[in-house]
Amino acid sequence: QIVNLLGRYSRHVEAIDMISGRYTSKTTEGRDPSGALLADLNHVSAVLVDTIYSNGTAVPSSAGLGRPKQEVWLPCGFHGDAVNSETSSEFVRIVDMDTMTIRVGPKLPSAGGACTSLAIHVLPNEPPMICSFAGTRGKHDSGEFLPQTQCYDRLRKRWWSPFGEMPFGLDHGNA
């Protein structure tokens, strides 16, 4: 299955089953605490992880496929469709892969769009943290390039910076 998550002119989570060709599209209504639409996000970086309980164990999939439930974290992005005037998001978005719906995640310590991100096993024997690197705070073309690295600890529900700052700020990276 291939999944497309939002975009400058798209407010949908779309999936294509590569075997059957079946296409599914879902839009999530609602706003985050800053007032931004949940489905209005572009220049994202996506991190696929197993959904976990508060004790760190994986949540079983409701699809009954013997695999854990999965979700995609979007730890950065811009709001808006007007090229060069998009503004950086203040909150993470989390996409439930079973339902293809979007929910608001934690508030970002440093709002940014066009970051790069990874799931990193920072602490041994614990689920991976959602780590984002760099990005742009403010408007897409005139904002501040960020040098930060920030990781969200899903067990303790807090951000921390185990890798420190990068030597310089950048955006539109890849990992």
Side-chain angles (χ1 to χ4, degrees):
Q1 179 168 304
I2 293 178
V3 178
N4 183 44
L5 304 167
L6 308 172
R8 181 176 280 144
Y9 302 109
S10 173
R11 299 290 180 260
H12 310 283
V13 175
E14 303 167 318
I16 301 170
D17 183 310
M18 297 305 292
I19 295 171
S20 69
R22 185 174 153 241
Y23 171 82
T24 307
S25 177
K26 182 111 183 204
T27 300
T28 300
E29 301 296 327
R31 295 181 179 270
D32 70 19
S34 73
L37 293 169
L38 287 177
D40 174 21
L41 204 62
N42 61 70
H43 288 76
V44 300
S45 183
V47 180
L48 177 66
V49 290
D50 292 343
T51 305
I52 59 169
Y53 291 112
S54 60
N55 67 1
T57 60
V59 173
S61 174
S62 61
L65 300 174
R67 65 166 173 74
K69 182 175 179 167
Q70 294 185 309
E71 58 194 19
V72 174
W73 283 58
L74 306 173
C76 64
F78 290 111
H79 297 295
D81 291 339
V83 176
N84 301 334
S85 64
E86 304 96 330
T87 57
S88 50
S89 180
E90 294 181 39
F91 289 88
V92 170
R93 301 296 194 265
I94 302 169
V95 181
D96 180 310
M97 295 306 292
D98 283 353
T99 64
M100 293 177 50
T101 56
I102 303 164
R103 70 180 187 274
V104 67
K107 184 170 178 34
L108 293 161
S110 187
C115 74
T116 191
S117 59
L118 294 167
I120 298 177
H121 287 275
V122 176
L123 298 173
N125 304 315
E126 290 195 5
M129 293 187 192
I130 310 302
C131 299
S132 68
F133 305 88
T136 298
R137 176 178 33 233
K139 298 214 180 282
H140 179 272
D141 279 12
S142 61
E144 170 193 2
F145 290 157
L146 301 172
Q148 95 279 343
T149 64
Q150 50 196 23
C151 295
Y152 190 74
D153 182 338
R154 296 182 295 150
L155 286 181
R156 294 161 191 85
K157 300 184 182 343
R158 71 175 184 93
W159 289 97
W160 59 304
S161 188
F163 309 116
E165 286 197 353
M166 297 168 43
F168 51 87
L170 63 110
D171 68 357
H172 293 84
N174 199 349

